[in-house]
Amino acid sequence: MYLQLTPRELTFRDEVRAFLSSSVPRDIREKMLNDGRLSKEDIVRWQRILNVKGWAVPHWPVEWGGTNWTAVERYIFREEMQAFPAPPPLDFAVDMIGPVLIAHGSDEQKRQFLPRIANLDDWWCQGFSEPGAGSDLAALKTAARRDGDEYVLNGQKIWTTMAHYADWMFCLVRTARGEKKQNGISFLLVNMKSEGITVRPIITMEGDHEVNEVFFDDVRVPAANLVGEQDRGWDYAKFLLSNERATIARVGVSKARIRRIKELAASEYCMGRPMIENRRFREKLAAVEVELKALEMTQLRLVAGEEGNGRTGSSDATASLLKIKGAEIQQATTELLVELAGHFAMPFIDNESQELVGDCWNGPFVTPEWAARAAPTYFHWRKMSIYGGSDEIQRNVLARGIFGR
C-alpha cells in the first residue's frame, strides 16, 4: 500500500480546509486553541453548521444523512477538523448511539432518533459505568424489571459525562442473571426527563463539572425503547466500544497541540533564550513527535485496510492499540504545555475556575490565557487512561489477540 494521498484526495482535503476556514465561528476556534472549555451551545451551533453542509454524520449510510465518502476521505475530514481545530461532533450521539441504532435499532427508533442526532436536537449521554463496574463493566447491577409494556429501572451510574445537559441516555441494565455475567444485560434508551432520575455533579480535580452521578428510582421506560433483543445488550455494547476506541487516538488533536507548543516555545523565554532552543525541551518535543508519526502511520494502515476490504471500524486489538498510544501522546503534549508555562501554570485561576471558587480568589490575573489553562488541561486529560476501557484492560485485549486465551 502507499501511505500517500492521491490527487483526488488532496483536492478533497483542500475543500475541507476551505470549508473550515470559512465556517468555524472565530470565538469557538479561539477557545479550542487555548484549551478552553466549550459550552453546550458552542457544540450545538457547530453541529448544526455541519448538518446544513451535509457533513454532520459522514460515516452513516446515505439514507440517514451520510456522505458515501471513502474510508480515506472520512479520515481526512476527521483529521482536518481536529487539526484546524474545530469541535468534534458529540461522540456519544454521532459515533456511539447513532451507529448502534443503525445496526440494531428498530425502524421506529431510527426514524425517531437519527435525524435529531444529526442536527443535535437531542443531547445524549452514556450510562455504562457504575460504582464497582467500571473496567469490569459486565459486573453492572442497575436492574430493569419488565412490567407490562414498560421496564422499571433502579440503580446508579457514575462518571456520566455531560448528564446534566442530556435529553437521553443509552444505558446498560441487568434484566437477567446467567452463568456468565455478560449474559442478561440489555440496552435501553432512557428519557432523562423521566420521573425518578436524579443527576448529581462530580467536580474533578481541575475544577470542572463534566461528569456526574445518576440515580434511578423506579424509573419507568417504555419497552419500545429496548434496542435489539432483551439480554443481548453486551453484544451491542462491544460494538459501540470498539467504535469509541477506534476514534479515540485523535492524531489531529495532538498535531494541533504540537503546532501550538512550537509557536509558544518560540516566544517564551527561559534563562534569556526561547524555550524552543532549550536542548532538553526540544528532545522531549521531538520524542513525542516521533511517537505521533508512528501512531499516524498505524491509523493510516487501518484506514487503507478498510478501503481495501470495505469494512468499517477496526479489530478489538487494533482499536485497543490506538486507544492506548493516542491517550499517552495526548497526555504527553499537555505535559509539555505545563513545562512551557513553568510556575505560571499553577497559581493562576482563570475565569471558569473563578466561577467555581466564588470569592475565595482575589488575586490579579497576570498570565496569558494559555498558561492559565495548562495545568487544568493537564489534569483533565489524565482521565484518558481510564475511560473507554482502562489501559490495563486494553493491554489484556492486546495480549489475548497475540498470545491467545
Side-chain angles (χ1 to χ4, degrees):
M1 60 168 286
Y2 295 98
L3 297 179
Q4 183 175 336
L5 299 181
T6 66
R8 175 181 168 178
E9 290 162 350
L10 288 170
T11 300
F12 174 76
R13 186 190 65 183
D14 292 342
E15 181 186 358
V16 173
R17 288 180 175 178
F19 167 72
L20 294 173
S21 296
S22 63
S23 304
V24 179
R26 180 175 297 180
D27 61 318
I28 291 178
R29 184 166 188 256
E30 286 297 318
K31 283 186 183 180
M32 297 198 68
L33 284 172
N34 289 299
D35 284 316
R37 296 288 176 262
L38 298 176
S39 67
K40 177 180 179 180
E41 291 71 26
D42 291 334
I43 296 171
V44 170
R45 182 162 39 126
W46 173 238
Q47 178 77 15
R48 290 179 179 172
I49 292 173
L50 284 173
N51 201 31
V52 169
K53 176 70 173 175
W55 289 0
V57 287
H59 52 305
W60 289 10
V62 171
E63 65 178 303
W64 295 113
T67 57
N68 206 25
W69 288 343
T70 65
V72 173
E73 288 169 336
R74 292 195 301 272
Y75 172 82
I76 291 171
F77 177 65
R78 186 171 65 243
E79 295 302 303
E80 291 298 326
M81 288 254 292
Q82 293 174 352
F84 184 70
L90 182 66
D91 49 1
F92 296 111
V94 171
D95 293 326
M96 296 185 194
I97 186 59
V100 168
L101 291 177
I102 290 168
H104 304 288
S106 66
D107 290 341
E108 178 57 32
Q109 288 168 350
K110 293 174 186 176
R111 285 192 295 269
Q112 178 182 352
F113 292 115
L114 293 178
R116 297 181 63 82
I117 289 174
N119 201 46
L120 203 44
D121 294 326
D122 297 323
W123 190 281
W124 286 81
C125 66
Q126 180 188 49
F128 280 16
S129 295
E130 298 182 6
S135 296
D136 186 13
L137 182 58
L140 64 88
K141 296 179 178 176
T142 294
R145 172 178 55 84
R146 184 71 181 257
D147 181 19
D149 292 334
E150 296 177 319
Y151 288 95
V152 182
L153 265 64
N154 282 283
Q156 178 190 355
K157 298 293 178 180
I158 198 167
W159 310 124
T160 313
T161 304
M162 302 298 183
H164 51 303
Y165 291 161
D167 303 295
W168 287 87
M169 169 189 282
F170 52 90
C171 187
L172 291 180
V173 296
R174 185 160 295 287
T175 43
R177 295 205 174 270
E179 292 184 3
K180 289 181 63 178
K181 57 187 177 183
Q182 289 83 358
N183 296 338
I185 293 174
S186 296
F187 197 111
L188 286 182
L189 311 177
V190 180
N191 187 328
M192 290 295 284
K193 305 298 187 297
S194 303
E195 186 177 351
I197 294 179
T198 302
V199 179
R200 295 181 183 168
I202 299 174
I203 305 302
T204 45
M205 62 181 174
E206 77 273 24
D208 277 350
H209 175 199
E210 184 180 71
V211 292
N212 304 271
E213 295 177 287
V214 180
F215 298 87
F216 303 97
D217 184 13
D218 286 334
V219 176
R220 303 191 78 86
V221 178
N225 288 6
L226 173 74
V227 175
E229 300 177 28
Q230 181 173 307
D231 300 335
R232 286 197 57 202
W234 189 250
D235 294 333
Y236 313 137
K238 285 197 301 182
F239 172 82
L240 181 150
L241 289 171
S242 179
N243 286 335
E244 179 187 16
R245 291 167 191 155
T247 59
I248 214 168
R250 297 191 178 103
V251 170
V253 170
S254 293
K255 280 183 174 180
R257 188 169 288 136
I258 285 177
R259 188 174 65 232
R260 179 69 168 156
I261 290 169
K262 287 180 176 178
E263 292 171 357
L264 293 168
S267 59
E268 297 296 327
Y269 281 66
C270 177
M271 305 294 286
R273 302 182 65 180
M275 277 292 285
I276 198 67
E277 297 179 9
N278 181 288
R279 183 176 64 85
R280 286 290 297 137
F281 187 80
R282 287 173 63 92
E283 287 175 351
K284 292 179 183 177
L285 181 59
V288 174
E289 281 195 284
V290 169
E291 292 276 316
L292 179 59
K293 194 65 180 176
L295 179 65
E296 184 179 20
M297 291 299 104
T298 302
Q299 193 156 354
L300 281 170
R301 281 196 290 271
L302 172 66
V303 172
E306 291 178 8
E307 193 87 345
N309 60 32
R311 290 190 299 106
T312 58
S314 60
S315 68
D316 286 347
T318 307
S320 297
L321 175 64
L322 293 173
K323 194 272 179 179
I324 293 171
K325 291 306 297 180
E328 289 177 350
I329 291 170
Q330 287 175 80
Q331 290 171 342
T333 60
T334 65
E335 291 173 18
L336 287 170
L337 274 174
V338 170
E339 187 166 343
L340 194 56
H343 61 279
F344 284 127
M346 284 305 294
F348 187 91
I349 295 182
D350 66 349
N351 290 336
E352 292 179 28
S353 301
Q354 179 76 30
E355 294 177 4
L356 293 171
V357 300
D359 296 331
C360 298
W361 175 262
N362 59 4
F365 292 168
V366 295
T367 66
E369 186 175 354
W370 75 265
R373 293 300 308 169
T377 301
Y378 168 84
F379 289 123
H380 180 78
W381 289 114
R382 297 300 95 188
K383 67 182 181 181
M384 292 194 71
S385 302
I386 302 173
Y387 74 52
S390 70
D391 284 3
E392 288 77 10
I393 295 294
Q394 303 314 315
R395 289 188 171 91
N396 285 340
V397 172
L398 282 169
R400 282 199 298 271
I402 296 171
F403 302 115
R405 296 181 182 275

